[in-house]
Amino acid sequence: MTDEKLFSEKSLISHIIAGYPDIDTTGRLIRAMDEAGVDMVIVEIPFSDPIAGGPEIKGVHATALSAGVTTDIIFDSLESIRSSCDVPIAIMTYFNPIFVYGIEGFVSRCRDAGVGYVLVPDLPFEEREELRPACSDKGITLVPMIAPTYPERIDRILDSAGGFVYIVRFEDAAGFPEGYVHELSDMADMVHAHGLRCIADSGQGEAGEVLRYVDGAVDGTDVMTLVLRHGRDCVQFVADYARGVRTRI
């Protein structure tokens, strides 16, 4: 799917952590969300030291890893669902798993699994060339991420960006230095001024609110809450939830 088609209207994007509660449920979730009208699924590879998310999410990563979920198992699962599911998929991971796997091999497996996008929260803008050429060679987009910072730095990131941008939101603006761009509306305006699309985490039940400013709402909080609450029985609950959000936006 092209970015133009993905963002032909306001997009609903779901975010799940692969392998929780097990890899079979991950595959069933992706299929169900596709059928429910989700426009893209972000599949996060579990990592031993995730920097994003609270203790509960860190526990999800630890549980998946303890169950033996590996990067290869995740790619195998994604490849197996492609015959019955064509929803756009983005991989989110930290740079260490990519480095350990091998950059060329990792990106090749993304391509083979039908992954169109890669997000790496801890890859600094200055080091993006470690990964971007390999992604470009395989037709995969390395999605830039911007967080509250000075406008000059945001402009530098956006000047070299293509497609769409992930805006990292912070609810508490206390402590930001003077001159930081931190409001979602202001950050989205900067992205749109560069002719790009943007997505942002919707938080808890706020998809309609963030879509006032951005082109896609990433619904990870509510989805993972349902997964944590219902375990292997979560699939229908998540599908019903996604279908309801889709109709409201």
Side-chain angles (χ1 to χ4, degrees):
M1 178 181 284
T2 64
D3 294 341
E4 290 76 15
K5 186 175 180 183
L6 177 61
F7 296 112
S8 60
E9 57 182 357
K10 295 291 187 178
S11 295
L12 175 63
I13 301 164
S14 287
H15 180 172
I16 60 174
I17 298 171
Y20 187 92
D22 55 43
I23 197 65
D24 175 68
T25 304
T26 297
R28 292 189 297 122
L29 274 171
I30 295 171
R31 290 188 185 94
M33 288 188 289
D34 180 25
E35 293 170 359
V38 167
D39 297 292
M40 182 166 70
V41 180
I42 296 174
V43 179
E44 184 169 357
I45 295 175
F47 181 51
S48 57
D49 190 25
I51 59 174
E56 200 167 38
I57 294 301
K58 288 179 170 62
V60 169
H61 283 258
T63 299
L65 291 172
S66 296
V69 172
T70 65
T71 301
D72 275 326
I73 287 173
I74 293 167
F75 281 132
D76 289 344
S77 176
L78 294 179
E79 286 184 29
S80 72
I81 69 171
R82 274 314 187 190
S83 61
S84 59
C85 174
D86 62 359
V87 67
I89 291 177
I91 285 286
M92 178 178 282
T93 184
Y94 296 94
F95 188 68
N96 183 266
I98 299 176
F99 179 78
V100 170
Y101 196 97
I103 290 174
E104 291 293 336
F106 182 89
V107 175
S108 292
R109 290 232 59 186
C110 285
R111 177 200 58 199
D112 295 343
V115 172
Y117 308 93
V118 173
L119 301 97
V120 187
D122 65 342
L123 182 64
F125 167 72
E126 289 78 9
E127 297 175 22
R128 68 199 184 284
E129 294 307 314
E130 292 279 333
L131 181 57
R132 189 166 67 165
C135 287
S136 297
D137 287 346
K138 300 295 190 297
I140 295 167
T141 300
L142 178 61
V143 179
M145 304 180 77
I146 58 171
T149 186
Y150 293 107
E152 295 81 7
R153 179 168 179 79
I154 293 176
D155 277 329
R156 283 183 60 210
I157 294 171
L158 298 178
D159 282 343
S160 64
F164 68 94
V165 176
Y166 192 115
I167 296 176
V168 180
R169 297 174 63 202
F170 285 81
E171 298 293 339
D172 185 4
F176 284 136
E178 184 177 354
Y180 257 39
V181 181
H182 58 81
E183 294 288 348
L184 177 61
S185 57
D186 294 333
M187 297 173 79
D189 283 346
M190 291 189 70
V191 174
H192 291 146
H194 281 75
L196 303 168
R197 307 283 189 154
C198 55
I199 64 177
D201 194 319
S202 65
Q204 192 165 8
E206 301 175 12
E209 176 65 21
V210 301
L211 287 174
R212 293 171 55 195
Y213 310 109
V214 301
D215 306 289
V218 181
D219 198 340
T221 302
D222 288 340
V223 167
M224 284 308 301
T225 296
L226 290 170
V227 174
L228 283 161
R229 181 180 302 158
H230 298 287
R232 293 179 177 85
D233 297 323
C234 69
V235 176
Q236 191 59 53
F237 291 96
V238 170
D240 290 344
Y241 168 79
R243 195 173 288 108
V245 175
R246 177 74 269 174
T247 60
R248 293 194 296 273
I249 63 173

